[in-house]
Amino acid sequence: MATLTTAVSGVSDTIHEDLGDVISRIDPSETPVYSMLRSRETVDNIAFSWLVQELAAASASNKVSEGADASDSTNTPAARLTNYTQISAKAGTVSGTLDAVNTAGRAKETAYQKVVRSLELRRDIEKSLVSDQVKASSDPRATATLSSWISNISQGTVTSGQEAYDGSSAAAASNLGAGTPYPHPAGTNRALTLSMIDDSMQAAFEDGGKPSVMFVSPANKKAFSTLANTAGATVVDNQVTYSAAKEVTAVAAVSVYLSDFGELAVSIDRFMANDRIFLVDTNYAMVCALPGRDFMEQDLAKTGDSAKFQILTEYGLKVAAPKAHAMICDLSTS
């Protein structure tokens, strides 16, 4: 009598693999700075400019005699600021076979790879915006990033004989709007304090700005949530304050900081270095693009049995008012 035997040591080739049709991406794709500053404004040339008007200092003694002739005053010319667009691209190649077979997690490999390259390109732009980069017109062109425009900078003590790069320094004044202030003297590393944030908010406010977002690294977000004021209360303690008794859930993070100069949303950026924090007035900063070149798809010439493409963008950072923002650097957070 024939006996049915089962091979327990392996799996028949006729059984379909139990492979899920959902692909999980572990790498972070959030780009808070780029997403928040990306605008629908376009620029018309690789070199784009804008004007910033400085007002005369306010006077408490503006009084004239009755019947007096008007006296001439010196006009304050508007400053012309310039930045350049930068080309960033990601390319991909997909074989004809991959587009023909049944692949897990996507209907067509080429379409999927275009999505992946677009996400990678956004991450590259984000990393660039929060890193030190000065503008350059030579090939390949470079757009000046946030740290090259902000003039209100809080930094640690610098070496004797060097000038701290802060809002009141000659170094800051001479480079305002130039898009090329880095490198500035490195200061002594120090721990983040609430007074640094409050002082930076005040500096930007006195210059006409009102930062609404503070971009921090994950480590600085953790450090910020445990900061205490002079009375000993942490920012978390201040967040959970009620006028009447109420059961609350334990809080270990802060998403909005109410400073003396307005609310400041705290946004975590995985791509930021731990030695800096940006306080940005989103009304005066934006990422622009050349018309028709904002994440455009280009199919490249076929040279065989494969599809080739690239995702390309040509963008530039426009900081309409450099004094409206602030930067805290030389932090020792790890």
Side-chain angles (χ1 to χ4, degrees), residues 40-56:
R40 298 305 174 189
E41 180 177 334
T42 59
V43 293
D44 298 325
N45 209 325
I46 58 176
F48 58 99
S49 303
W50 61 96
L51 299 176
V52 177
Q53 180 65 62
E54 293 276 351
L55 301 180

Side-chain angles (χ1 to χ4, degrees), residues 273-296:
N274 291 333
D275 67 343
R276 67 192 58 191
I277 286 176
F278 291 116
L279 288 76
V280 177
D281 186 335
T282 55
N283 293 315
Y284 296 105
M286 61 199 71
V287 177
C288 309
L290 281 175
R293 290 176 68 77
D294 187 12
F295 277 78
M296 61 181 297

Side-chain angles (χ1 to χ4, degrees), residues 127-165:
K127 182 71 173 180
S128 176
L129 291 174
V130 299
S131 301
D132 295 336
Q133 179 171 283
V134 299
K135 65 183 180 183
S137 59
S138 58
D139 188 49
R141 294 189 307 276
T143 193
T145 53
L146 280 172
S147 61
S148 290
W149 292 105
I150 296 175
S151 61
N152 287 310
I153 295 185
S154 168
Q155 69 176 112
T157 303
V158 298
T159 304
S160 178
Q162 294 181 319
E163 182 182 23
Y165 192 96

Side-chain angles (χ1 to χ4, degrees), residues 53-54 151-153 166-168 176 200-210 284 321-325:
Q53 180 65 62
E54 293 276 351
S151 61
N152 287 310
I153 295 185
D166 54 39
S168 61
L176 177 60
S200 297
M201 285 288 287
Q202 179 180 349
F205 182 84
E206 290 177 346
D207 282 340
K210 192 175 180 180
Y284 296 105
K323 288 185 175 182
H325 320 279

Side-chain angles (χ1 to χ4, degrees), residues 166-230:
D166 54 39
S168 61
S169 70
S174 64
N175 284 295
L176 177 60
T180 56
Y182 267 80
H184 63 73
T188 304
N189 289 345
R190 66 266 169 84
L192 176 66
T193 64
L194 279 181
S195 63
M196 292 180 192
I197 298 172
D198 293 335
D199 290 346
S200 297
M201 285 288 287
Q202 179 180 349
F205 182 84
E206 290 177 346
D207 282 340
K210 192 175 180 180
S212 57
V213 185
M214 181 168 70
F215 295 105
V216 298
S217 68
N220 275 320
K221 176 60 169 65
K222 184 177 178 181
F224 171 72
S225 294
T226 58
L227 293 179
N229 59 24
T230 54

